[in-house]
Each structure stands twice: as C-alpha cells, then as structure tokens.
Amino acid sequence: MPTPVRKRNADGTLKSDVWWLRKKVPLRYRGAVGKSEIWRSLGTTDRRTANERIAYLSAEMEREWERLAEAARIRSTSSPDHRRPTLSHQDLHALKGVVHIGTRDRNLPNTGGALSALRWAAARSGLNEWTEDEEGALDQSVREFLESEKVEPTDANIERFKPLYLDGRRRAFDDLLRASRGDFSESPLLKQYPARTKPKVDMLAAFERYCQSPSIKGGVNGPTAKRWRPVINKFINWIGHRDLARVSPKDAIRWRDHVLAQGIAPKAVRDVWLAAPRSVASFMINALELDANPFVGIKVAGVKNWKEDDERGFDDAQALKILTATVATPSHLISTEMRAARRWVPWICAYTGARVNEITSLLPADIEQIMGHWCFVLRPEVTKAKRPRRVPIHLHLIEQDLLDYVEQRRRIDKPLFYDPSRARGGKGANPQWQKVGERLAEWVRESLKITGVQPNHGWRHLWREIARGTRIKTELADYMVGHEGKSGTGARYGKRKVPVLAKNMAMFPRFKVPALDQPPMPHRRTRRTRTQIVADRAAIEARSAVPALMAHARGEGR
C-alpha cells in the first residue's frame, strides 16, 4: 500500500505540511490517463488521518484509471475519429445537399419581387467565373463549411468538394429564383442526395465522452451511465442512424410517443428515456459540436412529482420494529461488517435523514470532531452535492457507543460497514457500500416483513416528518439531509456553523426503544415447514434447469 509523502522544493525543504499520495500509473493505463505518475492531496497535515485516507484514495484512483481505459477502448471500437471523418464519394454528395438546403433556407424568407429575381439570377451566373482573389475566398468558404461539418479541411478535400459546393449553391439559387416568382414547390433534386456514411456527431461516441465529464456521477461505469447506455443504443436502433445532428424535434416527439406506447411509465420516459439523449445533446452543444438540442422542451403528460402512497416514511410501529431488531443478536453466519450495518445504519439514518449510501460508505476518517462537536462528514463523491456535508451526531447515538465502534474500525484501518478485502472485482457501478444498502433493504423486507414503504429511504421521509414538529430551522434541516434549499438566494450566503447545526440537531427527539435497556434477544432460527422445504427444492431445481435448457435451445438453433 502506498505511504503518504510531502512535497519538497529543489533544495530539499518542505513546500508545506500537507500529506500527499504519489502513485505511479501502470503501463496498461498510461495511454488513457496521459501521465506516468499522479499526485493527489490527502487534505490533511495529520499523519494518522493521512494513513486512513490513502488506501481509499488509492483504490479510487485505480478504479478511475480502469474507467478511462474502458472509455478509450469503447471510443476506439465505436468510432476511430468521431469529429473528423474522411470524405467518401457518398459523403461528397451528401455534403452537397447540405449546401443546397442550407443556402436555400437561409435566404428563402427574403425572396420576392422583380429585383430579387434579378439578384438570384446574377448570383447564379456569378458562380461560373472567378478571379484569383475570389478563388481564395471560395477556398476559405469551402474550408469553413467543411470545418462546420466536422470534416478535415485538407487541400485534397477542398479541391474534391469545391465543384460540388458551387453546384449546390447554383441549385439553391435556382430554387430562390423560382420562389421569387411565387413557386415555392420542393425541388425534385432534393431526393437525389444521400445520407452521410459517417455521422457528423456520433451519438454513441458523444455519450461515452459525456460519461467522462464531471456532469455524470460515477463516470463511464457509474450507475447513471449503466442505466442510460442501453437507452442510447435503443434510440440509435429505433431511429436508424447514429448522427445526433440529424435528429429533429419531431424525431424526439416520435421517440417519446414510441416509448410510451411500449408501456413504460411516464416518469421513467421523462427521467431516463428522454433525459439520456437530451443530456448528451446539451453536452455536445457546450462542446461547440452541435447547433441545437432537439430534446429540449419535450414534455411527458401524466407525470406526478411525487406520490404520497409510495414516497412516505415509516410509521411509529415500523420504525420501532426495525430499531428493536437492530439490537437483537444476529446470526453467526453474518459477517462482522454486515452485523455492524444492521446495528448502526438504521439508527444513523433515523437521526440524520441521510441517504443510505451516504452512510454505508462511511470511513472512520469521516467521523470528525469539529469545534467540539462530533460530526458525520459526508463526502461529495457519494452525495449529490459538490462539497462535504457536516452533520452533527445525535447525542443518543453517542450514548449507544457508536464512537467506540468507529475507533475499533479506525485501529484496523477499514471502512465502517464493509471490508475492501472481500471485494469480488466489481465495477464502479456496483460498489461494496451500495451492496450493503441493498442487503439492508432485503433484511427489512424479507426478514422483518415491512412492505409498502421504501426500506431505506423511509428513514429520510420520517426524519423530515419529525423535524417539522420541532423548532429546527427549515434552512438547516435542508442542509443536514442534503436537500436543495427553497429559502431563496439569502440561504446560500454564509456558512452553516457546526455549533448552530448541533444546537438544532439537539432539538430532534429521541426514538424510544425499550430493547435498548434490556439484554440482547438471542438469535432464533425460523424453521421451515415441510411444504416450504419441498417448494424451495423445486425452485432450486427449476433454476438449475435453465442453463441446460438454454444450451439445448442453442444446439437446436444450429
């Protein structure tokens, strides 16, 4: 494992007291990373804290390098050069069509009258003869056009395309001349133009570039990319090409209607099936490689912002049942980290309103004493914010000896609720701490039989419900749970001082759980009935038969 180092000047003196991680980039990643060595600040002058942070940061860097290498591989297989495709014969005539249509459409509103007819006729005849100076201007016009179409404006490409560029303008002037005389019918020549063999803006390559930007959480293997990548592929298959520049608002509306017709929920259509291509298009506009976003303003009817029946917190009985179960003796078959997750995560969520992944990802270094108050420091990489969020620890958690458990994990240099040594080599989209949250949800649903409410997120709703009945300031409640404040611009001014937060957190009432004052309940194994045993065996046999059936089906297909 790497050890913390401090940066030094050329004469050997320390630049500062801050500890750094210095890590060499393996050869297999250097092409994607672009460096042979990376320095990353550990953000502390304390050696002990630096030792706690360096393992986590080192692992994060390796995961990031893996994501960059995978993105580079995808780009190389999807489009060798997504910005400047070479010109084929078909591309030449497709670009001629772009010149024809573009020149016509830019000038069509200004046609009309005898003088206009003379102007378009003169413009058309003027294309036949060029002086030496005008020839240079023509080359520059062709060069700028090819650049706008993301084509390499080499001398060879300019010379090949120049005659077609002029012919496209002649045809546009013919259309304008007809329009000046009142004939606005579509030119039959437009049907002759082919589509480009290579996209102007490759949607698949654009999506992979977008996944590497800070705009998307988790990068190319993150949860958003994992959810959106199939959507982008399905859109490409549906529309029949990969050129984002050819997609129109009408195409976006047809896509929305097509997806809704498949029975997909309107909210999913809005938040996933339209959001994915819209975000990619916005990214390419900001990269100055796309002129307009065809998905902007496309609405989906029937979407509710929230549903009271599905988005609610635990009731008193459900909260008491879960918190009581946390102090029961768990099975000896459960790992140490999972026992701790069952014991502490529900309580921490109940007293902070935090998202479950913000808690399951905690490191011992994330528990800090700030201005005399113990706090959870929720890191931005696992939250939806850009800065760390400091949430004071409720006194009831301290009285239950949470800090003793934190110290135990600090001594062995491991996260609070998972063990990196147990990792199975999963990708960034499914980190260990996320799996811990999923196991807790299964425990609440399957073992405790609590349904009809989100098994982890229910604490978040319950916290806000209870906080409304206290004197906790709304602005500070928004901050502590990580919600976007609704208090206007003034709420964004000034810092949230920890003593003020702690004073408000002290107003949050304690959960009264009698089991805390009683000896731990022994673990009781629920014995299955004979009927359940038979049913379970049948289910196992059915699952085992599936691979064999699939192999048999593939054999018949051959």
Side-chain angles (χ1 to χ4, degrees):
M1 186 179 79
T3 56
V5 296
R6 284 173 170 164
K7 287 190 172 182
R8 295 182 178 274
N9 297 309
D11 59 1
T13 59
L14 288 177
K15 286 187 176 181
S16 73
D17 292 334
V18 176
W19 290 100
W20 290 71
L21 164 63
R22 179 184 182 185
K23 191 173 178 67
K24 288 190 176 295
V25 181
L27 288 174
R28 63 183 181 277
Y29 295 142
R30 289 184 184 178
V33 177
K35 296 181 180 180
S36 61
E37 185 178 81
I38 298 291
W39 286 75
R40 190 73 58 82
S41 172
L42 296 172
T44 181
T45 57
D46 179 63
R47 178 59 183 263
R48 183 176 180 181
T49 304
N51 286 332
E52 293 169 352
R53 293 178 180 176
I54 195 167
Y56 178 83
L57 186 58
S58 176
E60 281 294 307
M61 290 173 67
E62 291 183 2
R63 283 192 288 268
E64 177 64 19
W65 296 341
E66 183 180 354
R67 286 194 291 267
L68 290 174
E70 177 67 12
R73 185 193 66 78
I74 293 173
R75 287 199 307 274
S76 65
T77 56
S78 62
S79 177
D81 188 347
H82 61 274
R83 294 180 301 168
R84 300 180 181 274
T86 56
L87 279 176
S88 65
H89 179 69
Q90 180 174 331
D91 288 332
L92 286 169
H93 285 272
L95 291 171
K96 174 184 172 182
V98 175
V99 173
H100 179 175
I101 296 170
T103 305
R104 181 202 63 180
D105 290 350
R106 281 193 301 274
N107 296 283
L108 196 60
N110 301 318
T111 58
L115 290 178
S116 293
L118 292 174
R119 179 158 59 95
W120 299 126
R124 188 189 190 289
S125 63
L127 295 175
N128 297 325
E129 298 180 1
W130 294 86
T131 66
E132 185 174 345
D133 291 340
E134 290 171 333
E135 193 74 31
L138 174 62
D139 288 349
Q140 183 61 28
S141 295
V142 175
R143 180 184 304 277
E144 292 175 356
F145 173 79
L146 293 178
E147 278 281 2
S148 70
E149 292 297 312
K150 304 298 182 292
V151 175
E152 185 70 43
T154 62
D155 291 342
N157 279 341
I158 291 173
E159 288 302 317
R160 291 176 66 204
F161 183 61
K162 192 188 302 182
L164 295 174
Y165 178 81
L166 291 172
D167 195 33
R169 290 179 62 86
R170 289 191 192 97
R171 294 185 176 191
F173 291 147
D174 286 340
D175 291 346
L176 294 169
L177 181 61
R178 287 190 298 105
S180 68
R181 296 167 179 165
D183 181 3
F184 287 86
S185 61
E186 196 79 277
S187 171
L189 296 175
L190 297 180
K191 298 180 179 179
Q192 300 177 4
Y193 298 124
R196 293 210 11 204
T197 59
K198 293 183 179 180
K200 176 181 176 181
V201 179
D202 189 326
M203 192 169 189
L204 199 59
F207 175 74
E208 297 304 333
R209 287 175 60 194
Y210 170 64
C211 289
Q212 297 177 61
S213 71
S215 304
I216 188 168
K217 189 171 183 178
V220 294
N221 290 318
T224 304
K226 184 179 179 182
R227 180 69 183 91
W228 283 7
R229 189 173 284 110
V231 172
I232 297 296
N233 285 318
K234 288 179 181 179
F235 176 79
I236 290 170
N237 293 333
W238 172 81
I239 203 169
H241 63 80
R242 287 166 49 175
D243 194 348
L244 185 55
R246 289 170 55 191
V247 179
S248 68
K250 289 184 178 180
D251 294 328
I253 292 173
R254 291 193 302 112
W255 169 246
R256 176 201 64 189
D257 296 342
H258 167 75
V259 176
L260 288 171
Q262 306 303 309
I264 296 174
K267 189 175 186 299
V269 174
R270 183 193 67 181
D271 296 344
V272 179
W273 297 83
L274 285 175
R278 180 173 60 244
S279 299
V280 175
S282 295
F283 175 77
M284 297 309 290
I285 287 175
N286 291 331
L288 302 179
E289 296 188 32
L290 190 66
D291 297 327
N293 190 336
F295 297 91
V296 166
I298 306 299
K299 306 293 184 182
V300 181
V303 179
K304 296 180 180 179
N305 289 331
W306 60 280
K307 296 185 291 184
E308 185 175 358
D309 291 340
D310 295 340
E311 300 287 345
R312 61 182 177 86
F314 298 117
D315 58 33
D316 292 344
Q318 291 170 332
L320 178 61
K321 186 173 184 178
I322 296 173
L323 296 179
T324 299
T326 63
V327 297
T329 303
S331 169
H332 67 283
L333 300 176
I334 300 175
S335 69
T336 301
E337 289 75 24
M338 196 63 219
R339 290 185 208 175
R342 287 190 184 181
R343 172 63 181 90
W344 293 112
V345 172
W347 280 97
I348 298 174
C349 289
Y351 276 126
T352 61
R355 301 171 182 90
V356 67
N357 287 339
E358 294 175 343
I359 303 306
T360 57
S361 60
L362 283 173
L363 304 173
D366 297 329
I367 314 300
E368 295 183 15
Q369 193 172 28
I370 303 173
M371 302 179 73
H373 300 275
W374 285 100
C375 297
F376 298 108
V377 181
L378 305 179
R379 289 169 279 115
E381 58 264 30
V382 292
T383 68
K384 295 184 178 182
K386 296 181 179 179
R387 297 179 180 85
R389 193 166 86 246
R390 296 169 177 83
V391 182
I393 300 178
H394 197 282
L395 183 59
H396 197 195
L397 292 175
I398 296 176
E399 291 176 357
Q400 293 181 51
D401 298 329
L402 171 63
L403 297 181
D404 290 347
Y405 173 70
V406 173
E407 185 58 30
Q408 293 174 21
R409 302 300 288 182
R410 194 191 306 273
R411 284 197 294 267
I412 62 176
D413 194 23
K414 288 187 177 181
L416 298 189
F417 304 117
Y418 65 95
D419 186 349
S421 65
R422 298 177 186 270
R424 299 179 180 179
K427 294 185 177 180
N430 298 294
Q432 283 180 279
W433 40 265
Q434 183 173 304
K435 290 294 184 183
V436 174
E438 293 171 1
R439 298 293 178 267
L440 287 172
E442 292 175 5
W443 174 60
V444 172
R445 282 194 302 259
E446 306 297 333
S447 299
L448 303 183
K449 307 299 182 185
I450 295 177
T451 57
V453 59
Q454 296 186 43
N456 288 321
H457 212 64
W459 293 116
R460 194 163 170 79
H461 288 273
L462 180 60
W463 194 94
R464 293 306 303 245
E465 180 183 332
I466 294 174
R468 289 190 187 102
T470 70
R471 291 181 294 136
I472 297 176
K473 293 182 179 180
T474 302
E475 175 193 334
L476 299 181
D478 289 337
Y479 171 80
M480 286 192 281
V481 299
H483 280 149
E484 184 69 27
K486 308 298 182 184
S487 304
T489 303
R492 297 195 292 270
Y493 279 65
K495 297 179 180 179
R496 278 82 173 181
K497 295 290 187 181
V498 169
V500 178
L501 293 171
K503 182 179 179 180
N504 279 260
M505 179 62 81
M507 299 178 190
F508 194 89
R510 297 183 176 217
F511 290 92
K512 297 179 180 179
V513 180
L516 284 174
D517 302 321
Q518 300 170 1
M521 296 172 55
H523 174 68
R524 293 181 180 178
R525 179 181 177 185
T526 303
R527 296 190 175 276
R528 296 179 296 170
T529 64
R530 185 170 296 278
T531 302
Q532 290 172 326
I533 293 173
V534 172
D536 291 345
R537 286 177 178 172
I540 293 172
E541 291 174 359
R543 288 196 298 270
S544 302
V546 169
L549 290 173
M550 292 179 65
H552 179 66
R554 288 195 295 269
E556 289 182 344
R558 290 193 294 269

